[in-house]
Amino acid sequence: MTARERILSRLREARPPFADVEPIAERRNMIPRQELTSRELLDQFMDAAEALGCFVYELDRGGAIEQIMDLLDGDKSVLSWDEAHLPLNDLHGALASLGVSVARHNSGDVRVGLTGVNAALAATGSLVLESGAGRYRGASLLPDLHIALLRADQILPDLEGWTAMQAERDQAAFRHASNTVIVSGPSKTADIGHQLVKGAHGPRELHILILPPA
């Protein structure tokens, strides 16, 4: 028997951990849930996201394009998810008509990244982003400024609500996405000397554009 086989054999024979722990009878939400209307849920998300340091806007299509151009501030290129995954039809065409091109998804010198989102969590002001074909993770990680386009009907109450939805959808965020992240505000860290540094691991600014429901 090889060393590998001996180690695996001992692992298989070992007593399972926590075998004497009773199963959870009642699960409680991380944040107590309230019964909220769609408007109240949106307001809760906006308040929570702004508390994290995000910039949040409620806009229609025209207002969203205008806001994107303001944030580009003269830049002529943007990193972006494919149009099929953005909640604004022909957004790339509209940007092109204004002189803005979509850079290669792995370009490291583009200041602004543009993405959709897969869900938003009202209780914590967080965004859920699933990477995969046409949903490039670099668009939300490489640039200094991340613009996230969110439909109002994508807002869920909390993380537990999102995990329950995943259970109903055969865990699609894990089975069919190359990477799933929960983004809570712009990138920041205080690991070194307890000094807050923004943009250490990603964007320094996160702008969330909330669009009408589909």
Side-chain angles (χ1 to χ4, degrees):
M1 181 181 291
T2 65
R4 177 178 182 275
E5 290 169 338
R6 287 196 298 272
I7 292 171
L8 291 176
S9 177
R10 287 198 296 270
L11 289 173
R12 294 188 184 103
E13 294 171 358
R15 181 171 177 267
F18 312 115
D20 55 349
V21 176
E22 293 292 328
I24 297 174
E26 179 185 359
R27 295 185 180 273
R28 298 182 180 179
N29 283 15
M30 179 175 61
I31 297 176
R33 180 174 293 186
Q34 302 170 284
E35 293 298 325
L36 301 176
T37 65
S38 298
R39 180 68 243 181
E40 290 170 336
L41 199 65
L42 191 154
D43 288 340
Q44 183 185 42
F45 171 79
M46 292 179 68
D47 289 344
E50 288 173 349
L52 292 171
C54 302
F55 300 90
V56 187
Y57 320 79
E58 273 191 271
L59 301 164
D60 58 14
R61 174 184 170 81
I65 294 174
E66 183 177 342
Q67 185 63 53
I68 291 169
M69 293 304 297
D70 285 346
L71 293 171
L72 281 167
D73 193 25
D75 289 8
K76 297 302 181 183
S77 63
V78 63
L79 288 184
S80 178
W81 282 8
D82 287 354
E83 278 194 316
H85 303 288
L86 299 175
L88 277 177
N89 293 331
D90 195 30
L91 176 57
H92 289 181
L95 293 177
S97 71
L98 296 169
V100 178
S101 63
V102 175
R104 288 181 56 83
H105 67 86
N106 57 354
S107 297
D109 57 353
V110 180
R111 187 180 65 88
V112 178
L114 181 63
T115 74
V117 306
N118 297 95
L121 312 179
T124 54
S126 306
L127 302 176
V128 181
L129 277 69
E130 300 172 20
S131 300
R135 302 187 304 273
Y136 311 106
R137 71 184 71 179
S140 64
L141 296 175
L142 292 177
D144 274 348
L145 191 152
H146 174 201
I147 302 173
L149 302 177
L150 164 68
R151 292 196 324 271
D153 55 0
Q154 291 181 291
I155 300 175
L156 303 173
D158 48 32
L159 181 64
E160 290 84 358
W162 178 76
T163 55
M165 184 178 72
Q166 290 305 309
E168 295 172 357
R169 298 181 178 180
D170 193 33
Q171 305 297 340
F174 306 103
R175 294 180 183 273
H176 307 300
S178 62
N179 173 260
T180 297
V181 295
I182 297 174
V183 177
S184 299
S187 167
K188 50 189 174 290
T189 182
D191 289 346
I192 301 175
H194 301 288
Q195 297 296 312
L196 182 65
V197 177
K198 293 186 178 181
H201 310 296
R204 298 172 188 273
E205 294 184 17
L206 174 55
H207 295 255
I208 304 171
L209 280 55
I210 302 177
L211 302 165

